[in-house]
Amino acid sequence: MRRFLKYIEGHETTYLLVWVALLVLTVLTVSVSYYNFGILNIVVAMGVATVKGTLVCLYFMHLKYDNRLNQVVFVSAFVFLAIFIGLTGSDLFLRTPVRSSAIPKVSSSSSDLIGGLTGGSHLSKNFSHTTPELVKRGQELFKVHCTACHSLGKSFKSETSQKVYEAIVRNVPGGDPHSFSDLGEKERWALVHYVESLK
Amino acid sequence: MIKHIVAEHFESAEQAFESSKLGLWLFLVTEILLFGGLFVIYIMFRGLYPEVFHEASHHLNRTMGALNTVVLICSSLTMAMAVSRAQHNESKKAAVLLLITFLCGLTFMVVKYFEYTHKIHEGLLPGVHFSFAEMTDPKAPLFFSLYFMMTGLHGIHVLVGMGLILWVLIRAVRGEFSSEYFTPVELTGLYWHLVDLIWIYLFPLLYLIG
């Protein structure tokens, strides 16, 4: 029973000090946010939040006085969260688009989409002509891959055929920020034909 | 005072207490991973569209966000105090502190109600419901989808926490807690502190960008 009672003795002064510290840190994080330190803003904001969170865990939640098993269990949540963030982030931000070099560049002088795109390409000739089937497939793909962001924006409709092709089929850097590298050749062409059919 | 009887399958009151507490810590791990999914979505989209998040964040009310942060921090203090009082056989004092904690939760929800009403009125809404004319970027609704999902899920947790506090408050008034048995107060406290912990991260991420 002694261990049971160990952490309940005389912590109310500590609680008050922690409370004051949390309020001071809140004032700090709000006032710092009015200044622009560039990338440092997010570092400072997350740093302050982490200090506050640690105080809450250690003292209000008595994790400092709790047994080792509970400490390990709780900290493991953050280990798994770090893995979750780390792997998702590395996939999203570090993946290089594949196959873009294997797909031919568009002749910039071409005004005709189909004529310009098929020149000398054995890869794309099967899909470069629009068919009702491809447009239908494109519509389905558009729903899955594009509507989250493009539901309102009509911006892509005003893009030239060449830009649409370059963004989707060739996945040119600096174009659409989405990676289309997980879509096959046919799927990309289907998207192009669908977007073109909207014009 | 009502004497608490330790269930048969436990060796002692301490073992019963520690088992319950381990169970709650495990539950809190799943809670962190539940919110973790939303945090991951937030981080990825903010990484992709930093300017949009920056601009959209200016349409949240910082004062109300800061006020709610202070309210939750105060409620965490009174909750911790309430656990301590219950452990010291002072059920009445614990009940008063629990009542203050409950009222803090209520204040939080009222402030949140005013914030939500304002957002709905302005058309700062998720996805296709977005109709705020000043922001034309097609990615702008993304920020508000995340804002409503994250604060909404957190708000549900606050409501659940308030319900639990009310339950232990009634039991404290009945004098059911003592240094021998205070498990429900302790566990409700842990849950409430987690709700505070999540808000500590939500506040700077949503309200204080740039």
Side-chain angles (χ1 to χ4, degrees):
Chain A
M1 193 51 100
R2 286 264 52 87
R3 196 163 69 84
F4 181 34
L5 294 175
K6 194 178 68 182
Y7 69 76
I8 71 173
E9 305 297 338
H11 282 297
E12 299 200 355
T13 324
T14 318
Y15 291 159
L16 279 172
L17 289 173
V18 169
W19 175 67
V20 171
L22 289 173
L23 290 181
V24 169
L25 287 167
T26 304
V27 172
L28 178 75
T29 194
V30 172
S31 37
V32 162
S33 75
Y34 286 98
Y35 300 94
N36 188 11
F37 302 119
I39 189 77
L40 271 180
N41 278 67
I42 182 77
V43 177
V44 171
M46 287 301 95
V48 172
T50 303
V51 173
K52 286 166 78 182
T54 310
L55 285 174
V56 169
C57 292
L58 287 181
Y59 297 100
F60 284 170
M61 297 169 100
H62 327 119
L63 208 56
K64 191 182 173 188
Y65 314 98
D66 214 328
N67 66 53
R68 188 52 56 86
L69 176 61
N70 290 348
Q71 290 172 345
V72 170
V73 163
F74 194 58
V75 170
S76 77
F78 297 95
V79 174
F80 287 115
L81 190 58
I83 294 170
F84 192 180
I85 295 169
L87 290 183
T88 316
S90 65
D91 184 34
L92 192 65
F93 297 109
L94 304 178
R95 189 206 286 235
T96 44
V98 289
R99 292 201 292 167
S100 60
S101 58
I103 300 168
K105 223 183 169 75
V106 194
S107 152
S108 56
S109 62
S110 167
S111 58
D112 174 9
L113 172 72
I114 307 306
L117 304 186
T118 50
S121 164
H122 63 282
L123 268 174
S124 42
K125 64 181 171 191
N126 291 336
F127 312 118
S128 59
H129 288 278
T130 181
T131 63
E133 183 229 348
L134 277 176
V135 172
K136 194 167 171 291
R137 177 87 185 108
Q139 187 178 12
E140 290 162 10
L141 287 164
F142 192 86
K143 268 186 208 156
V144 178
H145 294 276
C146 312
T147 41
C149 299
H150 288 296
S151 57
L152 290 169
K154 279 131 189 119
S155 58
F156 65 89
K157 282 194 190 174
S158 59
E159 295 289 358
T160 61
S161 305
Q162 185 181 332
K163 276 240 178 100
V164 172
Y165 166 81
E166 293 210 332
I168 300 176
V169 180
R170 293 195 60 241
N171 206 4
V172 178
D176 197 301
H178 305 291
S179 172
F180 293 95
S181 51
D182 50 346
L183 292 179
E185 181 80 7
K186 184 181 176 186
E187 282 72 25
R188 296 193 212 184
W189 273 108
L191 273 174
V192 172
H193 292 311
Y194 173 64
V195 171
E196 287 297 308
S197 76
L198 293 175
K199 288 181 180 171
Chain B
M1 190 174 296
I2 300 156
K3 181 94 180 83
H4 177 72
I5 298 153
V6 178
E8 248 174 53
H9 52 283
F10 290 115
E11 278 176 13
S12 63
E14 182 189 348
Q15 198 203 13
F17 175 73
E18 289 298 335
S19 307
S20 303
K21 198 144 59 83
L22 175 60
L24 198 95
W25 280 115
L26 286 166
F27 172 66
L28 294 188
V29 169
T30 69
E31 289 281 65
I32 287 169
L33 293 175
L34 170 69
F35 277 95
L38 288 169
F39 278 106
V40 168
I41 299 170
Y42 172 92
I43 294 165
M44 299 312 145
F45 278 123
R46 182 164 167 186
L48 286 174
Y49 317 114
E51 298 83 10
V52 178
F53 273 53
H54 183 99
E55 199 198 334
S57 169
H58 284 297
H59 296 288
L60 298 185
N61 191 327
R62 254 173 208 220
T63 317
M64 284 194 175
L67 172 68
N68 263 350
T69 308
V70 172
V71 165
L72 273 195
I73 288 171
C74 293
S75 77
S76 258
L77 172 73
T78 54
M79 187 74 228
M81 292 285 206
V83 175
S84 178
R85 285 302 100 206
Q87 288 165 336
H88 286 85
N89 299 318
E90 292 181 278
S91 265
K92 291 288 173 290
K93 277 188 187 170
V96 172
L97 287 160
L98 285 168
L99 183 65
I100 298 170
T101 314
F102 179 84
L103 292 175
C104 284
L106 195 64
T107 310
F108 182 92
M109 290 314 292
V110 169
V111 172
K112 209 77 248 140
Y113 167 79
F114 283 116
E115 277 192 86
Y116 276 9
T117 318
H118 186 68
K119 296 287 164 299
I120 292 164
H121 181 74
E122 297 260 273
L124 291 163
L125 291 166
V128 290
H129 305 289
F130 188 85
S131 60
F132 187 67
E134 283 173 46
M135 285 194 75
T136 49
D137 195 297
K139 313 293 190 306
L142 256 180
F143 179 84
F144 292 95
S145 301
L146 280 165
Y147 168 77
F148 277 99
M149 278 299 290
M150 294 171 104
T151 59
L153 187 63
H154 180 264
I156 292 169
H157 280 76
V158 172
L159 288 175
V160 170
M162 285 167 69
L164 290 169
I165 290 167
L166 205 58
W167 168 62
V168 286
L169 170 61
I170 292 164
R171 294 187 67 178
V173 170
R174 287 187 194 152
E176 288 186 31
F177 303 125
S178 66
S179 59
E180 302 288 311
Y181 177 71
F182 55 91
T183 312
V185 201
E186 167 81 14
L187 300 194
T188 302
L190 288 178
Y191 179 82
W192 190 253
H193 296 311
L194 184 91
V195 172
D196 184 23
L197 179 68
I198 289 162
W199 183 258
I200 283 174
Y201 280 92
L202 286 181
F203 174 56
L205 284 178
L206 295 170
Y207 292 77
L208 304 179
I209 302 179

